Amino acid sequence: MADSPAPTALRARWVFPVVGPPLADACVTLAQGRIVAVGAPPAGCQVHDLGSAAIVPGLVNAHTH
């Protein structure tokens, strides 16, 4: 079985979690295509700085006829 890749974190000026207040200068950590943490990245995690950006939850229009 192959080792899974190390988690990657995306850092932005603002992170808007689904639950809770906005976080300034925070990270969203991803592992195997899933969000595994919001806030500070784990030690040794590769961090990609997105600069003065905001990470927000995906918005879905579920309106159907």
Side-chain angles (χ1 to χ4, degrees):
M1 182 183 209
D3 291 334
S4 56
T8 300
L10 302 174
R11 174 180 284 139
R13 175 67 182 111
W14 290 101
V15 173
F16 291 82
V18 173
V19 178
L23 304 171
D25 295 319
C27 291
V28 174
T29 303
L30 308 164
Q32 297 180 345
R34 296 187 179 265
I35 296 172
V36 296
V38 176
C45 183
Q46 182 178 11
V47 177
H48 298 279
D49 193 342
L50 302 177
S52 185
I55 299 175
V56 298
L59 303 174
V60 176
N61 181 355
H63 180 89
T64 61
H65 291 269

